[in-house]
Amino acid sequence: MNARFCACLLLASLLLLTCFVRAAEPLPIFDAHMHYNLEARATWSPQQVIALWRHVGIKAVLATSRPNEGTLDLMAQKAPDIKIVPFLRPYRVQPDRHDWFVNPEVEVFVGKELRRGIYRGIGEFHIFGKDADAPYMIKIARLARAKDLYLHAHSDEDAIERILHHAPGVKLIWAHTGMSTSLDKVEAMFALYPNLVGELSYRGDLEQDGKLHPQWKRLFLRYPDRFVVGTDTWVTQRWDEVGQLIAFYRRMLSELPADVAERIAYKNGFAMFGLQ
Ligand SMILES: [Zn+2]
């Protein structure tokens, strides 16, 4: 074998190896529903969280923590390879989730948090049915629209429609895409409200008989720019499941054309918040 032939062989092998490594790279993930709450902070250090994200291929997160200091802790790590999009969570303590929209103390707290000037959205908050007509909910929705902030709402379809009626055009991430809202209703809502984005955590019905549910598949193909995935680490135990949750999303998304899978996995989140 002459030297030139050997060099060619080596180059060809290296090229082949690069191709294999690329093919094996898992789909990057934008986690659009992440909480780093007080209880989790006692178990998981910010460094451990960043290491976990690196390990599972999470490149960016929509962070919404109770209290917001959890999010600030993560941002303070300044991890160059993990982008953190901070959302203002209107909860100081867990019970705020039940009455935040009628609690004047929460209103003062949110006003103070907003002055940090760092938040890209407000939420995740919980509101259902007629409660979405509360004057403070209306105020928050209109404020979000005026300041070009997203809302991140854990709500039934009734509350989502009320919010969108009070502030038409506000950008809204629908946590869990309603969780139990029928797919027919989801489909109708997506047709009606072009500013609605569906986040997919706790939608166990994504999978049917080990495969991506055909109606979900149809929805993803029809609205490839309007879905995002999330882990929803709302209790500390969920942190142990992050790897499994991401593997589940990758398995479901693998049944879609690559460009649609990439959008839902991370490109939509990156585009929504202008990330590179
Ligand atoms: Zn949540």
mmCIF file of all heavy atoms in Angstrom, residues 33-35 64 89 124 126 152 154 175-176 199 201 232-234, ligand 1:
data_model
loop_
_atom_site.group_PDB
_atom_site.id
_atom_site.type_symbol
_atom_site.label_atom_id
_atom_site.label_comp_id
_atom_site.label_asym_id
_atom_site.label_seq_id
_atom_site.Cartn_x
_atom_site.Cartn_y
_atom_site.Cartn_z
ATOM 1 N N HIS A 33 -41.407 24.074 29.626
ATOM 2 C CA HIS A 33 -42.209 24.034 30.862
ATOM 3 C C HIS A 33 -41.338 23.486 31.982
ATOM 4 O O HIS A 33 -41.341 22.296 32.259
ATOM 5 C CB HIS A 33 -43.458 23.173 30.659
ATOM 6 C CG HIS A 33 -44.475 23.328 31.747
ATOM 7 N ND1 HIS A 33 -45.819 23.190 31.518
ATOM 8 C CD2 HIS A 33 -44.351 23.612 33.072
ATOM 9 C CE1 HIS A 33 -46.477 23.368 32.655
ATOM 10 N NE2 HIS A 33 -45.597 23.613 33.615
ATOM 11 N N MET A 34 -40.598 24.366 32.604
ATOM 12 C CA MET A 34 -39.639 23.934 33.616
ATOM 13 C C MET A 34 -39.796 24.783 34.872
ATOM 14 O O MET A 34 -39.856 26.000 34.785
ATOM 15 C CB MET A 34 -38.216 24.108 33.046
ATOM 16 C CG MET A 34 -37.116 23.473 33.841
ATOM 17 S SD MET A 34 -36.719 24.292 35.389
ATOM 18 C CE MET A 34 -36.134 25.874 34.807
ATOM 19 N N HIS A 35 -39.908 24.102 36.017
ATOM 20 C CA HIS A 35 -39.920 24.812 37.297
ATOM 21 C C HIS A 35 -38.708 24.363 38.116
ATOM 22 O O HIS A 35 -38.440 23.165 38.197
ATOM 23 C CB HIS A 35 -41.160 24.472 38.113
ATOM 24 C CG HIS A 35 -42.454 24.621 37.377
ATOM 25 N ND1 HIS A 35 -43.024 25.839 37.111
ATOM 26 C CD2 HIS A 35 -43.297 23.692 36.846
ATOM 27 C CE1 HIS A 35 -44.164 25.654 36.457
ATOM 28 N NE2 HIS A 35 -44.348 24.362 36.273
ATOM 29 N N THR A 64 -39.747 28.871 34.921
ATOM 30 C CA THR A 64 -40.797 29.518 35.703
ATOM 31 C C THR A 64 -40.834 28.852 37.079
ATOM 32 O O THR A 64 -41.322 27.744 37.228
ATOM 33 C CB THR A 64 -42.168 29.497 34.963
ATOM 34 O OG1 THR A 64 -43.217 29.488 35.920
ATOM 35 C CG2 THR A 64 -42.329 28.329 33.998
ATOM 36 N N ARG A 89 -43.129 34.045 37.478
ATOM 37 C CA ARG A 89 -44.183 33.218 38.086
ATOM 38 C C ARG A 89 -44.877 34.033 39.171
ATOM 39 O O ARG A 89 -44.217 34.552 40.078
ATOM 40 C CB ARG A 89 -43.570 31.942 38.678
ATOM 41 C CG ARG A 89 -44.657 30.952 39.035
ATOM 42 C CD ARG A 89 -44.211 29.526 39.015
ATOM 43 N NE ARG A 89 -45.291 28.715 38.469
ATOM 44 C CZ ARG A 89 -45.628 27.520 38.896
ATOM 45 N NH1 ARG A 89 -44.950 26.952 39.850
ATOM 46 N NH2 ARG A 89 -46.616 26.860 38.355
ATOM 47 N N GLU A 124 -45.852 30.083 34.639
ATOM 48 C CA GLU A 124 -47.108 29.430 34.470
ATOM 49 C C GLU A 124 -48.037 29.827 35.610
ATOM 50 O O GLU A 124 -47.656 29.777 36.773
ATOM 51 C CB GLU A 124 -46.901 27.902 34.468
ATOM 52 C CG GLU A 124 -48.178 27.092 34.347
ATOM 53 C CD GLU A 124 -47.971 25.649 34.816
ATOM 54 O OE1 GLU A 124 -47.021 25.413 35.602
ATOM 55 O OE2 GLU A 124 -48.748 24.771 34.444
ATOM 56 N N HIS A 126 -52.237 29.232 37.057
ATOM 57 C CA HIS A 126 -53.400 28.346 36.950
ATOM 58 C C HIS A 126 -54.664 29.185 37.019
ATOM 59 O O HIS A 126 -54.807 30.013 37.917
ATOM 60 C CB HIS A 126 -53.415 27.319 38.092
ATOM 61 C CG HIS A 126 -52.213 26.424 38.095
ATOM 62 N ND1 HIS A 126 -50.962 26.860 38.456
ATOM 63 C CD2 HIS A 126 -52.065 25.121 37.759
ATOM 64 C CE1 HIS A 126 -50.105 25.859 38.341
ATOM 65 N NE2 HIS A 126 -50.740 24.794 37.923
ATOM 66 N N HIS A 152 -48.279 32.089 30.008
ATOM 67 C CA HIS A 152 -48.093 30.634 30.085
ATOM 68 C C HIS A 152 -49.181 30.135 31.036
ATOM 69 O O HIS A 152 -49.055 30.266 32.256
ATOM 70 C CB HIS A 152 -46.691 30.347 30.628
ATOM 71 C CG HIS A 152 -46.232 28.929 30.495
ATOM 72 N ND1 HIS A 152 -46.988 27.857 30.874
ATOM 73 C CD2 HIS A 152 -45.063 28.414 30.053
ATOM 74 C CE1 HIS A 152 -46.304 26.744 30.658
ATOM 75 N NE2 HIS A 152 -45.126 27.057 30.154
ATOM 76 N N HIS A 154 -51.943 27.446 32.591
ATOM 77 C CA HIS A 154 -52.465 26.096 32.847
ATOM 78 C C HIS A 154 -53.971 26.281 33.053
ATOM 79 O O HIS A 154 -54.400 26.687 34.128
ATOM 80 C CB HIS A 154 -51.784 25.513 34.089
ATOM 81 C CG HIS A 154 -52.282 24.145 34.460
ATOM 82 N ND1 HIS A 154 -51.458 23.167 34.959
ATOM 83 C CD2 HIS A 154 -53.517 23.599 34.419
ATOM 84 C CE1 HIS A 154 -52.178 22.078 35.199
ATOM 85 N NE2 HIS A 154 -53.428 22.324 34.883
ATOM 86 N N ALA A 175 -50.263 25.626 28.609
ATOM 87 C CA ALA A 175 -49.590 24.543 29.325
ATOM 88 C C ALA A 175 -50.381 23.251 29.164
ATOM 89 O O ALA A 175 -51.614 23.243 29.312
ATOM 90 C CB ALA A 175 -49.459 24.901 30.805
ATOM 91 N N HIS A 176 -49.697 22.182 28.845
ATOM 92 C CA HIS A 176 -50.292 20.841 28.670
ATOM 93 C C HIS A 176 -51.330 20.782 27.540
ATOM 94 O O HIS A 176 -52.082 19.805 27.468
ATOM 95 C CB HIS A 176 -50.953 20.345 29.965
ATOM 96 C CG HIS A 176 -50.202 20.701 31.211
ATOM 97 N ND1 HIS A 176 -48.971 20.170 31.496
ATOM 98 C CD2 HIS A 176 -50.494 21.541 32.243
ATOM 99 C CE1 HIS A 176 -48.545 20.676 32.657
ATOM 100 N NE2 HIS A 176 -49.437 21.502 33.112
ATOM 101 N N GLU A 199 -48.187 23.531 24.607
ATOM 102 C CA GLU A 199 -47.071 22.841 25.269
ATOM 103 C C GLU A 199 -47.577 21.450 25.654
ATOM 104 O O GLU A 199 -48.748 21.297 26.035
ATOM 105 C CB GLU A 199 -46.601 23.673 26.470
ATOM 106 C CG GLU A 199 -45.425 23.079 27.234
ATOM 107 C CD GLU A 199 -45.843 22.069 28.274
ATOM 108 O OE1 GLU A 199 -46.874 22.289 28.963
ATOM 109 O OE2 GLU A 199 -45.165 21.029 28.377
ATOM 110 N N SER A 201 -46.544 18.741 27.802
ATOM 111 C CA SER A 201 -46.346 17.866 28.958
ATOM 112 C C SER A 201 -47.693 17.348 29.475
ATOM 113 O O SER A 201 -48.719 18.019 29.355
ATOM 114 C CB SER A 201 -45.597 18.598 30.076
ATOM 115 O OG SER A 201 -46.299 19.737 30.494
ATOM 116 N N ASP A 232 -42.140 19.940 32.763
ATOM 117 C CA ASP A 232 -42.977 20.307 33.909
ATOM 118 C C ASP A 232 -42.480 19.660 35.195
ATOM 119 O O ASP A 232 -43.126 18.772 35.760
ATOM 120 C CB ASP A 232 -44.453 19.970 33.673
ATOM 121 C CG ASP A 232 -45.326 20.578 34.772
ATOM 122 O OD1 ASP A 232 -44.804 21.380 35.563
ATOM 123 O OD2 ASP A 232 -46.516 20.232 34.859
ATOM 124 N N THR A 233 -41.350 20.142 35.673
ATOM 125 C CA THR A 233 -40.772 19.631 36.928
ATOM 126 C C THR A 233 -41.456 20.332 38.112
ATOM 127 O O THR A 233 -40.813 21.044 38.874
ATOM 128 C CB THR A 233 -39.258 19.896 36.932
ATOM 129 O OG1 THR A 233 -39.038 21.249 36.465
ATOM 130 C CG2 THR A 233 -38.531 18.934 36.027
ATOM 131 N N TRP A 234 -42.738 20.072 38.244
ATOM 132 C CA TRP A 234 -43.520 20.780 39.265
ATOM 133 C C TRP A 234 -43.338 20.203 40.666
ATOM 134 O O TRP A 234 -43.572 20.869 41.656
ATOM 135 C CB TRP A 234 -45.006 20.818 38.886
ATOM 136 C CG TRP A 234 -45.683 19.467 38.929
ATOM 137 C CD1 TRP A 234 -45.483 18.447 38.050
ATOM 138 C CD2 TRP A 234 -46.631 18.997 39.880
ATOM 139 N NE1 TRP A 234 -46.258 17.366 38.392
ATOM 140 C CE2 TRP A 234 -46.985 17.682 39.506
ATOM 141 C CE3 TRP A 234 -47.238 19.560 41.009
ATOM 142 C CZ2 TRP A 234 -47.891 16.917 40.237
ATOM 143 C CZ3 TRP A 234 -48.143 18.798 41.726
ATOM 144 C CH2 TRP A 234 -48.471 17.498 41.347
HETATM 145 ZN ZN ZN B 1 -46.168 23.470 35.469
#
